[in-house]
Amino acid sequence: MAKAVKANLKMKIRAGQASAAPPVGSTLGQHGVNMMDFINPFNDQTKELQGQMVTVHITIYEDRTMSFR
């Protein structure tokens, strides 16, 4: 069974430099998800693109989990 989607977000973030500061922290916080569950994996996966602007699509589910691409 598929999870119920609460929100779909699209942000531009510098690769390897996501932090809890706006826009990441405030955007994820308003949906009730743990921002560190996004920040650490995002920075790890984009470290080879360090400093480049990357568009990230985040899907937030009703159970407060998320996935991104």
Side-chain angles (χ1 to χ4, degrees):
M1 186 171 159
K3 292 182 182 182
V5 175
K6 181 178 181 180
N8 285 303
L9 309 173
K10 182 177 172 183
M11 293 192 283
K12 286 194 174 275
I13 305 170
R14 290 207 180 271
Q17 298 177 3
S19 69
V24 176
S26 58
T27 303
L28 295 179
Q30 73 184 0
H31 293 287
V33 296
N34 183 347
M35 65 190 83
M36 295 312 289
D37 289 344
F38 168 77
I39 292 171
N40 292 332
F42 174 82
N43 287 339
D44 288 341
Q45 291 181 26
T46 60
K47 62 185 169 195
E48 68 278 353
L49 302 172
Q50 189 71 32
Q52 294 180 32
M53 289 302 283
V54 176
T55 301
V56 60
H57 298 265
I58 305 169
T59 303
I60 300 174
Y61 302 100
E62 290 291 337
D63 64 358
R64 294 187 181 176
T65 59
M66 73 182 105
S67 62
F68 68 92
R69 58 183 173 88

